[in-house]
């Protein structure tokens, strides 16, 4: 969490990959209102291996009492003391020079936590919402776990915006402020491009999941949310066996699902979020996991159309419904 210590505040100033400092409101990442500060006074930039500082001002930038040559890059060291405008102006101390990263900054304490691709809020134990990156749109999406009526309630959150969840509030800090340009340049894949293999113990106490695509096989540890996915996979199988149209296969009433699984609606939604998170953390960053479970009005179904279910060593069911079958 690369940051500078503000001379007048306890909370650090976290650095973006290209971080500008100056007087012009809305044009810089960190604003200093003093009249001797230029509109864009200085820039601090991550090179991929280290941080540089560059003076862009009329009145100068000083590091450890030495004035910088304008427009020339200087490497920063931890503990460096920076003054903008004059050497005796308030000192900014270089506190951390780690690589830039996306953060959630607690608005009450100022503490920052690294932002995962699929982040549960306010915590992992009792999530009320998720903040997750969509490689399809290149946006960070905030979504409440309590949504059950099929309405898409995911809201796009931009750099610097506030996120309120329960009694907590955070600010989203995106180090590059470009969404996820690097991720978008990768091959776009969805979880629905993978085949799922469920391995179920005889007493159905443990359900392991394996993801397959071409030559890749990725095993996931047994988790309680795997049983929810298995339940939805079996619902798809039942509809396939009775010849239901592909568009109608696998839909289960949320009321029925919660009753048969013995869980609440909130618990069901939490399991869906945790399943997405586990897969997102296992597969490369460019994989979109939002289609793992599909929703429509008060109904859900497994979004993946290719799967196998093994109970012990015996094949219980198999589905291999291609995308083309859905449009034929």
């Amino acid at each position: 969490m690369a940051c500078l210590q503000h001379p007048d505040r306890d909370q650090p100033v976290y650095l973006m990959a290209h971080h500008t400092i100056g007087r012009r409101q809305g044009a810089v990442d960190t604003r200093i209102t003093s009249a001797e500060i230029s509109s864009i006074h200085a820039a601090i930039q991550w090179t991929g291996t280290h941080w540089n500082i560059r003076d862009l001002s009329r009145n100068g930038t000083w590091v450890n009492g030495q004035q910088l040559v304008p427009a020339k890059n200087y490497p920063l060291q931890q503990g460096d003391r920076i003054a903008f405008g004059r050497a005796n102006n308030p000192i900014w101390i270089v506190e951390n020079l780690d690589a830039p990263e996306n953060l959630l900054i607690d608005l009450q304490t100022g503490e920052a936590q690294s932002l995962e691709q699929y982040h549960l809020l306010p915590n992992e134990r009792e999530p009320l919402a998720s903040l997750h990156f969509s490689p399809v749109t290149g946006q960070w999406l905030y979504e409440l776990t309590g949504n059950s009526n099929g309405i898409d309630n995911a809201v796009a959150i931009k750099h610097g915006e506030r996120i309120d969840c329960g009694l907590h509030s955070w600010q989203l800090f995106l180090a590059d402020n470009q969404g996820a340009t690097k991720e978008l340049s990768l091959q776009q894949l969805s979880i629905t491009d993978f085949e799922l293999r469920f391995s179920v113990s005889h007493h159905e106490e443990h359900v392991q999941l394996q993801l397959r695509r071409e030559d890749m096989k990725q095993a996931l540890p047994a988790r309680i949310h795997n049983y929810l996915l298995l339940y939805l996979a079996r619902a798809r199988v039942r509809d396939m066996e009775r010849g239901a149209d592909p568009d109608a296969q696998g839909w289960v009433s949320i009321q029925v699902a919660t009753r048969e699984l013995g869980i609440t609606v909130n618990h069901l939604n939490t399991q869906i979020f945790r399943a997405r998170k586990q897969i997102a953390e296992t597969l490369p960053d460019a994989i979109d996991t939002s289609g793992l479970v599909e929703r429509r009005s008060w109904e859900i179904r497994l979004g993946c159309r290719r799967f196998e279910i093994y109970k012990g060593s015996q094949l219980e069911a198999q589905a291999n419904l291609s995308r083309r079958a859905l449009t034929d």
Side-chain angles (χ1 to χ4, degrees), residues 63-320:
V63 175
N64 300 326
Q66 299 296 315
Q67 186 171 8
L68 305 184
V69 175
K72 182 178 178 180
N73 286 321
Y74 291 84
L76 282 174
Q77 303 293 329
Q78 189 166 337
D80 280 350
R81 300 166 62 84
I82 306 172
F84 302 101
R86 290 181 296 180
N88 61 350
N89 273 351
I91 298 296
W92 300 65
I93 300 174
V94 177
E95 192 170 87
N96 187 296
L97 289 176
D98 291 343
E101 57 181 320
N102 296 332
L103 305 171
L104 275 180
I105 302 173
D106 190 302
L107 291 178
Q108 182 175 2
T109 65
E111 295 180 358
Q113 56 180 307
S114 299
L115 184 61
E116 302 171 355
Q117 184 194 353
Y118 212 107
H119 208 98
L120 298 180
L121 297 172
N123 55 56
E124 291 272 350
R125 296 184 302 278
E126 298 181 3
L128 302 176
S130 78
L131 181 65
H132 59 278
F133 174 72
S134 169
V136 175
T137 63
Q139 296 175 308
W140 285 90
L141 302 176
Y142 177 72
E143 184 176 359
L144 295 172
T145 61
N147 180 41
S148 302
N149 60 8
I151 299 174
D152 184 5
N153 68 342
V155 178
I157 306 293
K158 298 179 182 178
H159 170 74
E161 290 188 342
R162 174 175 174 147
I163 300 168
D164 295 310
C165 183
L167 301 176
H168 303 268
S169 297
W170 297 269
Q171 182 184 47
L172 179 63
F173 179 92
L174 300 180
D176 59 5
N177 199 17
Q178 300 293 322
T181 305
K182 180 162 66 171
E183 287 87 348
L184 285 171
S185 68
L186 301 176
Q187 180 185 12
Q188 290 303 301
L189 289 176
S190 167
I191 185 57
T192 56
D193 295 314
F194 289 77
E195 178 182 327
L196 308 184
R197 176 171 175 165
F198 295 92
S199 298
V200 191
S201 64
H202 286 291
H203 298 291
E204 305 213 348
E205 295 177 350
H206 301 283
V207 180
Q208 291 185 305
L209 185 62
Q210 186 182 76
L211 309 175
R212 296 182 171 196
R213 184 177 184 273
E214 298 175 350
D215 295 332
M216 190 208 81
K217 296 180 181 180
Q218 181 66 54
L220 279 66
R223 294 288 186 271
I224 191 170
H225 52 247
N226 289 347
Y227 192 84
L228 170 62
L229 301 179
L230 172 67
Y231 172 86
L232 296 176
R234 284 171 168 166
R236 263 196 181 273
V237 170
R238 288 194 299 270
D239 287 346
M240 290 172 60
E241 290 176 344
R242 66 181 181 84
D245 183 83
D247 286 339
Q249 290 174 7
W251 289 107
V252 180
S253 161
I254 289 177
Q255 182 179 9
V256 171
T258 53
R259 184 179 69 247
E260 293 185 345
L261 293 170
I263 58 177
T264 65
V265 173
N266 281 343
H267 194 191
L268 179 142
N269 284 307
T270 296
Q271 288 192 21
I272 293 173
F273 275 66
R274 285 178 172 160
R276 290 179 185 170
K277 176 179 170 62
Q278 184 187 24
I279 293 173
E281 291 176 342
T282 302
L283 295 177
D285 289 346
I287 301 299
D288 178 22
T289 62
S290 61
L292 179 64
V293 176
E294 298 176 349
R295 294 178 183 268
R296 67 184 186 187
S297 183
W298 297 102
E299 292 183 312
I300 58 174
R301 73 171 175 180
L302 182 70
C304 298
R305 302 172 180 89
R306 294 183 294 121
F307 56 85
E308 297 176 331
I309 303 173
Y310 280 83
K311 191 161 186 176
S313 59
Q314 299 298 314
L315 179 64
E316 174 186 308
Q318 186 175 35
N320 191 17

